């Protein structure tokens, strides 16, 4: 098993370097620029105040604040919606001017209702890091901006620690590194939302699974780490439900009642939460004729309708280009694309990383776990389309709305890990270490340079 792992100090060293680099990079990004970041921040504030369930707005709530939500600090809401105006281009002030105006804004210690639309689908504990940081900011009497920065830093620190642990458990191949370094992935990691955190948790689950199935000796330790990671991933990113195939495969491999029981309990808990969320969040679609659960029944009764809808979406002019570009990175609220040259360079470097990572399955007799990971990835992509058809697309429709390339980052990690790892299989890693490292480093550097230039051009902002 030792050969599968990177040195502990090397892994944590890389994690520390990543945290320092990304912390500096986050200074170029104003608050609330990640999609739905304001809703996630409001949900974390509600959790910090002990509100676990979203509530209907009180009577007399203005139309623009309508939706499931809860009570939040007035000045935190003011701070949030002020910086959202940068993303929506509704404020003529520059990000630097807004920072200057609001850097001393203190907590109001009075509350108002704020919507947190869409966040009710996610298991509340996934917001624990953000809620803890907001609570600390309030208790330490930090400014609202200081509390936000603490929230961003704590979320980033946890994400980097999880990725470092994933690297320690199973050394990543160049394709994994290239995917984690994509501008879209890094942009989400430096934002205090769920995307970066859940991507890091998913990477840890995949790495632990990969280590277990490719270890030269049988792994007898309990798979509780995978169970915990997948619980948070699946209950906060419903489209990643097919990742539950990983513990099911481990149970099949071990052929023990204990392993089967653990996998079954995990699947049932995740399924129960998904059903609960779909039923309880029907109010989000008050302006639609059908709730998510009603649409699910319609599509289950007529599956050909759903298949035709997916096919029309994939055939729609410009959709595949949008998915590809938003997978690599369309920053902000889908208003800040990279240049065409940057997309081409990053795409080429990603392709080179895939080639550098590929290993024939028969070299390690690992065809079955590879197929499981690829199947989980493809299933997750299909469910992403289904989820958007149920929650974001009016019925009837010709194409599915709301699907973005960033939803495919974790499925891409599954496929990238399945490409192989020569060191884990006793390949000639030492003789090819330099060129593989070069491919991974050049791909990561290309993505980071593109991200830096794009952030500077869009925001001209440094804390």
């Amino acid at each position: 098993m030792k050969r599968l792992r990177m040195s502990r100090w090397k892994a944590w060293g890389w994690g520390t370097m990543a945290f320092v680099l990304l912390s500096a990079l986050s200074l170029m990004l104003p608050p609330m620029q990640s999609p739905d970041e304001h809703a996630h921040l409001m949900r974390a504030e509600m959790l910090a105040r002990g509100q676990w369930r979203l509530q209907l707005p009180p009577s007399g709530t203005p139309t623009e604040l309508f939706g499931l939500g809860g009570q939040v600090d007035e000045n935190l809401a003011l701070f949030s919606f002020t910086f959202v105006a940068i993303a929506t281009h509704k404020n003529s002030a520059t990000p630097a001017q807004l920072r200057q105006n609001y850097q001393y804004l203190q907590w109001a210690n009075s509350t108002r209702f704020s919507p947190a639309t869409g966040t009710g689908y996610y298991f509340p504990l996934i917001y624990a890091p953000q809620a803890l940081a907001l609570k600390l900011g309030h208790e330490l009497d930090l400014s609202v901006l200081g509390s936000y920065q603490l929230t961003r830093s704590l979320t980033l620190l946890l994400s980097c620690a999880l990725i470092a642990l994933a690297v320690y458990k199973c050394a990543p191949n160049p394709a994994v590194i290239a995917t984690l370094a994509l501008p879209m992935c890094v942009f989400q990691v430096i934002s205090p939302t769920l995307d970066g955190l859940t991507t890091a948790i998913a990477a840890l689950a995949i790495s632990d699974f990969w280590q277990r199935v490719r270890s030269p000796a049988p792994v007898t330790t309990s798979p509780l780490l995978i169970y915990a990671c997948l619980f948070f991933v699946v209950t906060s990113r419903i489209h990643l439900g097919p990742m539950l195939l990983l513990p099911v495969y481990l149970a099949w491999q071990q052929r023990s009642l204990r392993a089967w029981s653990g996998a079954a309990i995990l699947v049932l808990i995740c399924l129960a939460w998904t059903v609960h969320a779909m039923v309880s969040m029907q109010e989000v679609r008050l302006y639609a004729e059908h709730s998510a659960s009603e649409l699910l029944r319609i599509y289950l009764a007529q599956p050909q309708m759903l298949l035709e809808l997916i096919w029309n979406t994939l055939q729609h002019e410009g959709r595949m280009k949008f998915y590809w570009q938003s997978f690599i990175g369309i920053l902000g609220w889908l208003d800040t694309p990279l240049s065409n040259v940057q997309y081409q360079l990053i795409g080429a470097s990603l392709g080179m990383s895939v080639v550098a990572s590929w290993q024939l399955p028969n070299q390690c007799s690992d065809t079955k776990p590879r197929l499981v990971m690829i199947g989980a990835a493809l299933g997750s992509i299909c469910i992403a389309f289904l989820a958007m058809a149920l929650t974001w697309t009016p019925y009837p429709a010709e194409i599915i709305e709301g699907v973005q390339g960033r939803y495919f980052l974790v499925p891409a990690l599954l496929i990238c890990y399945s490409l192989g790892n020569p060191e884990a299989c006793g390949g000639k890693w030492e003789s090819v270490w330099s060129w593989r490292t070069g491919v991974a480093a050049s791909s990561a550097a290309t993505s980071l340079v593109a991200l830096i230039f794009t952030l500077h051009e869009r925001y001209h902002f440094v804390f």
Side-chain angles (χ1 to χ4, degrees), residues 113-337:
F113 180 85
S114 177
T117 306
T119 62
Y121 289 102
Y122 314 137
F123 190 72
L125 277 181
I126 193 67
Y127 289 103
Q130 296 93 329
L132 175 61
L134 290 175
K135 187 71 173 179
L136 286 174
H138 193 278
E139 294 296 329
L140 296 175
D141 200 27
L142 300 180
S143 67
V144 174
L145 179 58
S147 301
Y148 172 83
Q149 283 295 91
L150 180 61
T151 303
R152 176 184 274 177
S153 297
L154 184 58
T155 307
L156 176 58
L157 178 62
L158 180 57
S159 299
C160 289
L162 291 169
I163 292 176
L165 183 56
V167 168
Y168 166 66
K169 282 189 162 292
C170 188
N173 59 41
V176 172
I177 296 174
T179 301
L180 289 174
L182 286 174
M184 192 73 255
C185 189
V186 175
F187 180 81
Q188 293 299 93
V189 168
I190 62 177
S191 303
T193 60
L194 297 189
D195 276 30
L197 184 58
T198 53
T199 298
I201 298 174
L204 178 55
I206 300 168
S207 178
D208 195 27
F209 171 81
W210 204 218
Q211 180 205 36
R212 288 171 178 275
V213 298
R214 303 194 70 169
S215 174
V219 179
T220 58
T221 56
S222 173
L224 286 179
L225 178 61
I226 294 181
Y227 292 170
C229 289
L230 290 181
F231 170 77
F232 283 108
V233 168
V234 174
T235 57
S236 59
R237 289 291 179 262
I238 295 175
H239 72 285
L240 297 178
M243 287 187 68
L244 294 172
L245 288 173
L246 305 188
V248 170
Y249 177 82
L250 290 178
W252 175 83
Q253 186 183 53
Q254 296 178 17
R255 291 175 169 82
S256 72
L257 179 60
R258 181 178 180 181
W260 277 116
S261 299
I265 292 173
L266 175 63
V267 171
L268 289 174
I269 291 175
C270 292
L271 182 60
W273 171 259
T274 301
V275 173
H276 166 74
M278 290 187 64
V279 172
S280 62
M281 291 299 110
Q282 290 186 34
E283 296 88 350
V284 176
R285 297 178 54 87
L286 285 177
Y287 294 114
E289 295 182 5
H290 302 85
S291 68
S293 56
E294 290 172 343
L295 282 180
L296 180 60
R297 287 193 291 269
I298 292 175
Y299 288 129
L300 287 177
Q302 305 178 66
Q304 74 282 358
M305 182 185 299
L306 178 62
L307 293 176
E308 183 179 350
L309 189 60
I310 294 176
W311 177 254
N312 291 341
T313 303
L314 296 178
Q315 293 295 307
H316 189 273
E317 182 179 0
R319 286 284 163 168
M320 295 305 294
K321 180 180 179 181
F322 170 75
Y323 295 151
W324 172 246
Q325 290 185 344
S326 57
F327 171 74
I328 292 177
I330 300 181
L331 311 182
W333 285 28
L334 296 179
D335 68 333
T336 309

Side-chain angles (χ1 to χ4, degrees), residues 31-39 80-81 83-90 184 187-188 193 322 330-337 404 406 458-459:
M32 308 304 145
Q33 302 311 298
S34 178
D36 300 323
E37 181 179 341
H38 63 300
S80 173
F81 289 110
F83 278 91
V84 164
I86 298 175
T88 55
H89 302 273
K90 294 181 179 179
M184 192 73 255
F187 180 81
Q188 293 299 93
T193 60
F322 170 75
I330 300 181
L331 311 182
W333 285 28
L334 296 179
D335 68 333
T336 309
Q404 302 176 31
R406 63 189 174 97
R458 168 67 173 89
Y459 300 112

Side-chain angles (χ1 to χ4, degrees), residues 93-132:
T94 66
Q97 289 172 335
L98 290 180
R99 175 200 58 199
Q100 184 70 26
N101 294 339
Y102 288 90
Q103 63 180 334
Y104 299 116
L105 181 68
Q106 299 296 316
W107 294 90
N109 294 318
S110 58
T111 63
R112 52 163 279 191
F113 180 85
S114 177
T117 306
T119 62
Y121 289 102
Y122 314 137
F123 190 72
L125 277 181
I126 193 67
Y127 289 103
Q130 296 93 329
L132 175 61

